[in-house]
Amino acid sequence: MIPVQVREQNPSMSKRASRLDDAARAGWLYYVAGNTQDQIAAKLGVSRQSAQRLVSLARSEGLVRVQIDHPIANCLELSSALRDRLGLKYVDVTPTDPGSDSTITGVAEAASAEIERWLRREEAVIIAMGTGRTLKAAVELLPRMECPQHRIVSLTGNIAPDGSAAYYNVVFTMSDSVNVRSFPMPLPVIATSSGEREMLHAQAMIRPTLELAARADVTFVGIGDLTEDAPLFVDGFITRGELAALRSAGAVGEIVGWSYDAAGLFIGDITNERVASAPIPSRRTSLVIAAAKGERKFPGIAGAIRGGLVNGLITDEATAGHLLRTL
Amino acid sequence: MIPVQVREQNPSMSKRASRLDDAARAGWLYYVAGNTQDQIAAKLGVSRQSAQRLVSLARSEGLVRVQIDHPIANCLELSSALRDRLGLKYVDVTPTDPGSDSTITGVAEAASAEIERWLRREEAVIIAMGTGRTLKAAVELLPRMECPQHRIVSLTGNIAPDGSAAYYNVVFTMSDSVNVRSFPMPLPVIATSSGEREMLHAQAMIRPTLELAARADVTFVGIGDLTEDAPLFVDGFITRGELAALRSAGAVGEIVGWSYDAAGLFIGDITNERVASAPIPSRRTSLVIAAAKGERKFPGIAGAIRGGLVNGLITDEATAGHLLRTL
DNA sequence: TATGCTCTTGGGCATTTACTCGAATCTTCG
DNA sequence: CGAAGATTCGAGTAAATGCCCAAGAGCATA
């Protein structure tokens, strides 16, 4: 037996990093080499419980990446049906986890994988990012990577109504793990008036970012529902009254703040005039991929597709089946 | 709770495929969605034991791909030291699993990942493949993928001494999962005489393959030891007497059949004259990556590096440490 | 149709893993 | 230097997983 490797504490190495290091090692021994946690404990010279904690930490920190390498037949059928029937350019359908009510599991992983594929490209591309919980989760799943050749541009402002950083703006999250040139939008998400919106957009620092967004090669957006718990309302971007007004005007969903009805037409005169986001990049020149699933979002997803607001979709089996039945 | 999805048996779907399908689904629910096997059993409508079998099948069939997304510090240090001190162009060091005597765990995964990276390239490349247990395992870990733009060429013949297909020739294994143009070598691995070797290589069908090999962009080879249990001998390519003669002539390792000594110089006059393999592609024009680890192979790996037979290396921590101490 | 063979199924049980809780240790700040 | 607070540790235990075995189903052949 090879002697246990002594892992000296390099003083320059922060404790946290060294712990993650051990976690990575434990995770490797567990998931790749197939050791039991007892064996890992012996090899790393810690207690079994500590080994368990390291393995668990490796998972929760996202050090362990698992993907299933098999075209699950039903998902494939659904995605090609969606592609053909609805004229979408890109569709990915992940298995549904029946009984789990998570609105992101699966879709986040698939979106992350697709973002990663774009980032891995050697030729420079412009990637525009929307906002929302799903995208946030997807971006957090990205591995550490170097891709200085690309540019990431945010479609939405990053200032919440209370002046803090908008939590679900994903460009900064992305910078945590991916080294890429990023172009956030130092704006509020929703301006106080359409006049203010115009003024903000006219700023010298904002113009180039807006122009960059318009030239995006690929765009990832989430779709927000406009039910009672609409994220726009929950996060404080619109008032309860505005939500009610939008709903009675027929709004069924929103993309980067823009609300639209079941036909995918934008709702006038309530909040859309004040949304400070960049326009959704042209579906003729950009692949605009929506990542969304779940019953609450059915109308929003369907509307976005009907109106041609997006030309790509990442969703789950159940949602895909619903879309095929209703569209 | 969403009702359990009924998975009807499409008659056109083979039983085996449908089973793998379920395995993939179970694997997804387990590893990605984080279900317990009990929950999976309920959701798929099978017993818990069956669910366990499906999950286990998903792993053993290689449907589940796990990778650790963390630069383990020690491995990184070792690999950059190897790169700098030994002038190698590509080095990857994986964690050692102390106590496990597997000669491939870790290295196979890393080699597989690097092969995959080359296959994912959009521009067409020529990949030359050597032979051996490590490479075989690496190729078996490759996911299903489509890359008709590339060409894979075997450096070694695919006919064993008894006339059967040489088991550790990897080009056919690769075709199982990767759709790529492949160029095997319909030759014995070792000819009966140097004259026969010349005759075989002069064949019209062989020449283009040899020329293709010489133009490889990247080459993956294993390194065989020449201990008592040398793979060349165990697999019946050379006799016990020849092995003994090679050893007394100072041979410490072999690459695609060519034996060399501790300085990396080929051994003359014993078996090398009859090896029907293509030459190792030029290290000036091709990245020649050896995938090997383990105490038995220490001399062979060191010799190959000393002699410049390879300019890339995939190995483990323990071997990397040894190389740094002895070279 | 009967027979023998193989493959699959589910129960039981040993092993392995996850979680809880009190004790110990380390940090931080006065 | 010392105490409060936070974190980590290990023991114990509940839960989950992996494996073996006998029984049953499916299948080919006589």
Side-chain angles (χ1 to χ4, degrees):
Chain A
M1 167 126 174
I2 299 171
V4 170
Q5 184 130 12
V6 178
R7 306 201 39 64
E8 73 274 62
Q9 297 284 345
N10 182 335
S12 76
M13 182 190 294
S14 86
K15 195 159 214 171
R16 174 178 162 77
S18 141
R19 188 170 163 73
L20 278 182
D21 231 63
D22 282 342
R25 184 173 297 267
W28 189 89
L29 289 168
Y30 188 70
Y31 289 106
V32 180
N35 285 269
T36 70
Q37 299 182 353
D38 271 318
Q39 295 172 295
I40 296 170
K43 286 168 183 177
L44 293 181
V46 298
S47 73
R48 178 163 33 82
Q49 292 85 339
S50 298
Q52 194 274 328
R53 283 190 188 97
L54 286 174
V55 172
S56 159
L57 181 69
R59 277 217 86 157
S60 64
E61 287 292 319
L63 269 39
V64 180
R65 309 183 63 206
V66 182
Q67 61 188 109
I68 302 296
D69 178 34
H70 185 79
I72 298 178
N74 193 36
C75 293
L76 278 194
E77 284 169 29
L78 285 168
S79 64
S80 65
L82 282 171
R83 208 174 348 247
D84 299 345
R85 292 245 316 262
L86 308 182
L88 296 172
K89 287 185 184 154
Y90 175 90
V91 179
D92 193 0
V93 177
T94 71
T96 291
D97 180 2
S100 151
D101 55 357
S102 158
T103 50
I104 49 177
T105 314
V107 169
E109 282 81 358
S112 175
E114 179 63 8
I115 295 170
E116 185 182 336
R117 272 190 286 276
W118 280 88
L119 288 172
R120 290 225 182 275
R121 294 199 172 198
E122 290 184 14
E123 79 273 14
V125 294
I126 303 170
I127 304 179
M129 296 296 287
T131 186
R133 284 142 179 85
T134 307
L135 278 191
K136 173 95 171 171
V139 166
E140 280 173 349
L141 291 169
L142 286 173
R144 219 156 281 282
M145 55 197 297
E146 295 290 322
C147 20
Q149 71 275 32
H150 303 315
R151 282 172 290 181
I152 306 292
V153 56
S154 178
L155 290 178
T156 69
N158 58 2
I159 303 175
D162 61 1
S164 67
Y167 182 70
Y168 290 108
N169 190 294
V170 298
V171 167
F172 293 117
T173 310
M174 198 143 167
S175 310
D176 291 345
S177 54
V178 182
N179 178 15
V180 64
R181 279 176 293 168
S182 58
F183 296 81
M185 282 249 246
L187 290 183
V189 175
I190 298 192
T192 52
S193 69
S194 70
E196 187 194 45
R197 191 254 303 262
E198 299 315 318
M199 194 199 67
L200 292 168
H201 275 196
Q203 282 184 73
M205 285 181 57
I206 302 296
R207 298 282 301 263
T209 302
L210 289 173
E211 280 160 21
L212 195 63
R215 291 194 292 120
D217 297 295
V218 64
T219 305
F220 292 90
V221 297
I223 290 183
D225 65 82
L226 287 175
T227 62
E228 298 293 333
D229 308 314
L232 268 192
F233 166 63
V234 169
D235 296 342
F237 293 110
I238 63 175
T239 65
R240 186 181 291 280
E242 287 166 341
L243 175 59
L246 284 169
R247 283 163 63 87
S248 25
V252 297
E254 52 90 11
I255 291 178
V256 294
W258 273 302
S259 309
Y260 51 83
D261 64 17
L265 299 173
F266 290 119
I267 307 284
D269 241 8
I270 300 174
T271 56
N272 281 348
E273 281 67 26
R274 295 184 283 115
V275 170
S277 305
I280 301 175
S282 159
R283 272 70 74 200
R284 283 187 298 107
T285 58
S286 180
L287 178 57
V288 179
I289 299 175
K293 76 166 187 190
E295 209 163 339
R296 276 174 37 180
K297 298 189 175 182
F298 282 178
I301 300 170
I305 293 174
R306 275 199 203 91
L309 301 180
V310 302
N311 56 8
L313 180 65
I314 297 174
T315 192
D316 73 349
E317 275 182 280
T319 309
H322 173 84
L323 289 172
L324 282 173
R325 286 190 297 275
T326 56
L327 285 176
Chain B
M1 167 125 174
I2 299 170
V4 171
Q5 182 133 10
V6 178
R7 307 202 36 68
E8 75 274 59
Q9 296 287 342
N10 180 334
S12 77
M13 184 191 293
S14 86
K15 196 164 218 167
R16 173 178 162 78
S18 140
R19 189 169 163 74
L20 276 183
D21 230 64
D22 282 342
R25 183 173 297 267
W28 189 88
L29 289 168
Y30 188 70
Y31 289 106
V32 180
N35 283 270
T36 71
Q37 299 182 352
D38 272 315
Q39 295 172 294
I40 297 170
K43 287 167 182 177
L44 261 42
V46 299
S47 71
R48 204 217 19 110
Q49 291 82 348
S50 297
Q52 194 274 327
R53 280 188 192 99
L54 286 174
V55 172
S56 155
L57 182 69
R59 277 218 86 157
S60 65
E61 287 291 318
L63 267 41
V64 179
R65 309 182 63 208
V66 181
Q67 61 187 103
I68 302 296
D69 178 32
H70 185 78
I72 298 178
N74 193 35
C75 292
L76 278 195
E77 284 169 29
L78 285 168
S79 64
S80 65
L82 282 171
R83 209 177 345 250
D84 299 343
R85 292 245 317 264
L86 307 181
L88 297 172
K89 288 185 184 153
Y90 176 91
V91 179
D92 193 1
V93 177
T94 70
T96 291
D97 180 4
S100 151
D101 54 356
S102 159
T103 50
I104 50 177
T105 313
V107 169
E109 282 83 358
S112 176
E114 179 62 10
I115 296 170
E116 185 181 336
R117 272 190 286 276
W118 279 88
L119 288 172
R120 291 225 182 273
R121 294 198 173 199
E122 289 184 12
E123 80 274 15
V125 295
I126 303 170
I127 304 178
M129 296 297 287
T131 185
R133 284 144 179 84
T134 307
L135 279 190
K136 173 95 172 172
V139 166
E140 282 173 348
L141 290 169
L142 287 173
R144 220 157 281 280
M145 53 197 296
E146 297 289 322
C147 18
Q149 72 273 32
H150 303 315
R151 282 172 290 180
I152 306 293
V153 56
S154 179
L155 291 178
T156 68
N158 59 2
I159 304 175
D162 62 1
S164 68
Y167 182 69
Y168 290 107
N169 191 294
V170 298
V171 168
F172 292 116
T173 310
M174 199 145 169
S175 311
D176 291 346
S177 55
V178 182
N179 179 15
V180 63
R181 279 175 294 168
S182 58
F183 296 79
M185 284 249 246
L187 290 182
V189 175
I190 298 193
T192 53
S193 69
S194 71
E196 187 194 46
R197 191 254 303 259
E198 300 313 319
M199 193 198 69
L200 292 168
H201 276 197
Q203 285 182 75
M205 286 181 54
I206 303 296
R207 298 283 300 265
T209 302
L210 288 173
E211 282 160 21
L212 195 63
R215 291 195 292 122
D217 296 295
V218 65
T219 305
F220 292 90
V221 297
I223 289 183
D225 65 82
L226 287 174
T227 63
E228 300 291 332
D229 307 314
L232 269 191
F233 166 64
V234 169
D235 296 343
F237 293 110
I238 63 174
T239 65
R240 185 181 292 279
E242 287 166 339
L243 175 60
L246 284 168
R247 284 162 62 85
S248 23
V252 297
E254 52 89 11
I255 290 176
V256 294
W258 274 301
S259 308
Y260 53 84
D261 64 18
L265 300 172
F266 291 119
I267 307 284
D269 241 8
I270 300 174
T271 57
N272 280 349
E273 281 66 25
R274 295 183 281 117
V275 171
S277 305
I280 301 175
S282 160
R283 271 71 74 202
R284 283 187 298 108
T285 58
S286 180
L287 178 57
V288 180
I289 299 175
K293 77 168 187 188
E295 210 163 336
R296 274 174 40 179
K297 297 188 174 180
F298 282 178
I301 299 170
I305 294 173
R306 274 199 204 91
L309 301 179
V310 302
N311 55 7
L313 178 66
I314 297 173
T315 192
D316 73 349
E317 277 181 278
T319 309
H322 174 85
L323 289 171
L324 282 173
R325 285 190 297 276
T326 56
L327 285 176

